[in-house]
Amino acid sequence: MTELGIGIGWRPEIADAVEELPGVDWVEVVAENVCADHLPDSLARLRARGVTVVPHGVSLGLGGADRPDPERLAALAAKAEALGAPLVTEHIAFVRAGGPLTATPGLEAGHLLPVPRTRDALDVLCENVRVAQDSLPVPLALENIAALFSWPGEELSEGRFLAELVERTGVRLLIDVANLHTNHRNRGEDPVRALAELPVEAIAYVHVAGGIERDGVWHDTHAHPVPEPVLGILAELAGRVDPPGVLLERDDRFPAATELAAELSAIRTTVATARRRAPAAAGFPAAARHGVGAAALRAGRALTGGGLAGGGPLLIGAGARVSGGSMPPALPSRPVPVPVPVPVPVPESPEPVEDGVRQRVGVAQAALLSALVAGTPAPEGFDTRRLGVQSRALAAKRASVVARIAPELPEILGDDFRPAFLAYARTRPMPGSYRRDALDFVEGLLLAGRPERRELTRWWQDRADGRPPGIAGRVARAARHVFLGR
């Protein structure tokens, strides 16, 4: 297992600060934000200094019903080689659904969505992971995600699901303790129990991130300081196993370099304290053995009962912006033995997953995603209130990303940008890219006869070939989307 140390997520907005921060052993970069043949100068300088760079993918959708896209895998492999990375990471999630497998229009989520913890979904995930492993030049590690809703009819706990995934594929794990905290606060899932069930010997590294509490709801923003409860879960984990690496994520509202340095120092201290005190009381949770974990976890549990009675927004991962709905109470924690690390077994060659299994998973995911992004009825067994929350969060994330990649649009539309985009998103599922999303949004505004027509037309012409389509062209494109899924 590669020893990484303490690191930070590299983002263009803080590139200069990251280069100057003391004690940064490694960095992680969002794989989709860099090109293999033209790395940012800052990353090149860090590599020249011997700083490890790990690409972190967000678009493979290994939990989806389809087999992984060879082009996406090849692109991730090329970035791993260009960066000289010792491993690559992705997520246990699906990000798109539909298409030929289900004979339905292809849909993009624009966000990481949870896979059902069922035997069928696990079979599909394991085969997809093996395909990815065969295509990548370095080991793969997968991250647990935060989710607002649960699938009906789940057959495995998260810990058992991950344990079987590791046993059957040999894949490593990227454990996000902030996601464990988010699920604890908003879904009542116990982080101590989750860690007790995890195959901790398979952990490649750990994510730590901040958020904010408002109206009894935890917002997983990656835009606020790391709170004590998240450090407490990190201490719990570090009391069970010495993590090869721990990384601070920050995606928005970037603070001064001194604040980032202080957060890295707090992470380093938490891990060091847990390492020193872990042997003191084997057989009991690490959080009960050292104050840095115990006080933090108590604080997190005490806040769980507040629910969502206030109806305030909930951020479901970085970029989501709205949410709400009552949540179940937390499960009580209980002392559990500290697991003894054992080697990750080498999996045997399995039988291929039957097409019928993939189709069942695909139909379920397509029905769910259609309800979230296309306004179709919610599938049976889901909490419709939470699906509504997730749907609004997906639309809000689309609006935020489009505003970031096309900052001229909020300038042209002013305060009308966000409500206009959300109205557009309610009837138009996300196309294949955010760039296409922005173009489609502006086309709709032009057809609606917005008073900013001249500025919007100029913006569109600067970014697309030809003139904006008229009514006939718009109708033709809509028909292709409905009937052909493209």
Side-chain angles (χ1 to χ4, degrees), residues 414-426:
D415 292 340
D416 285 345
F417 167 77
R418 197 168 191 83
F421 188 92
L422 295 178
Y424 150 82
R426 279 195 293 271

Side-chain angles (χ1 to χ4, degrees), residues 38-388:
H38 185 66
L39 297 177
D41 292 341
S42 174
L43 286 180
R45 288 192 294 269
L46 288 169
R47 288 196 63 225
R49 284 167 36 188
V51 176
T52 299
V53 182
V54 174
H56 183 55
V58 297
S59 65
L60 278 186
L62 293 175
D66 287 314
R67 289 176 175 82
D69 181 352
E71 291 186 4
R72 294 180 188 274
L73 283 172
L76 184 57
K79 291 167 187 178
E81 292 179 331
L83 293 167
L87 78 163
V88 298
T89 58
E90 249 286 354
H91 298 82
I92 301 170
F94 76 101
V95 297
R96 60 187 65 87
L101 180 66
T102 58
T104 58
L107 296 171
E108 292 281 340
H111 189 71
L112 303 166
L113 294 176
V115 301
R117 297 172 194 158
T118 62
R119 293 291 174 185
D120 277 358
L122 181 60
D123 288 345
V124 170
L125 174 63
C126 287
E127 186 168 88
N128 288 350
V129 167
R130 286 188 287 267
V131 170
Q133 290 171 319
D134 289 343
S135 303
L136 295 170
V138 292
L140 172 67
L142 296 181
E143 178 181 350
N144 60 303
I145 71 166
L148 174 61
F149 62 88
S150 299
W151 284 79
E154 292 193 321
E155 299 165 345
L156 299 164
S157 67
E158 182 171 29
R160 284 307 312 158
F161 191 86
L162 295 177
E164 291 203 25
L165 172 65
V166 170
E167 181 179 357
R168 292 169 59 176
T169 66
V171 75
R172 300 295 179 175
L173 296 177
L174 191 181
I175 296 301
D176 190 317
V177 293
N179 287 347
L180 292 178
H181 175 65
T182 299
N183 289 343
H184 170 61
R185 290 293 307 275
N186 296 329
R187 298 174 59 191
E189 297 182 357
D190 184 0
V192 175
R193 177 181 176 182
L195 291 176
E197 294 179 332
L198 287 178
V200 293
E201 69 279 359
I203 293 176
Y205 63 90
V206 177
H207 270 174
V208 179
I212 188 172
E213 187 273 334
R214 187 168 68 248
D215 299 328
V217 176
W218 186 254
H219 302 251
D220 179 31
T221 63
H222 291 194
H224 294 84
V226 177
E228 281 297 318
V230 171
L231 291 177
I233 300 172
L234 174 62
E236 172 72 32
L237 184 151
R240 296 169 179 272
V241 66
D242 192 1
V246 183
L247 182 125
L248 171 66
E249 288 188 295
R250 190 72 177 237
D251 294 322
D252 205 353
R253 297 184 184 180
F254 299 100
T258 52
E259 185 175 332
L260 293 173
E263 290 203 297
L264 290 169
S265 178
I267 289 170
R268 190 175 292 106
T269 298
T270 298
V271 173
T273 301
R275 286 170 176 165
R276 288 197 303 269
R277 299 183 180 180
F284 293 92
R289 299 197 296 269
H290 41 78
V292 66
L297 285 177
R298 282 198 300 271
R301 295 187 188 110
L303 288 167
T304 302
L308 293 174
L314 166 66
L315 302 183
I316 312 166
R321 289 293 178 268
V322 291
S323 191
S326 59
M327 301 295 170
L331 296 172
S333 300
R334 61 182 186 278
V336 291
V338 178
V340 177
V342 296
V344 177
V346 178
E348 299 178 359
S349 298
E351 294 295 324
V353 175
E354 297 179 1
D355 289 341
V357 174
R358 284 190 178 273
Q359 194 166 43
R360 285 196 298 272
V361 173
V363 167
Q365 291 180 343
L368 171 63
L369 189 51
S370 181
L372 292 174
V373 303
T376 58
E380 184 178 356
F382 282 93
D383 185 323
T384 56
R385 187 177 184 183
R386 294 194 192 183
L387 292 192

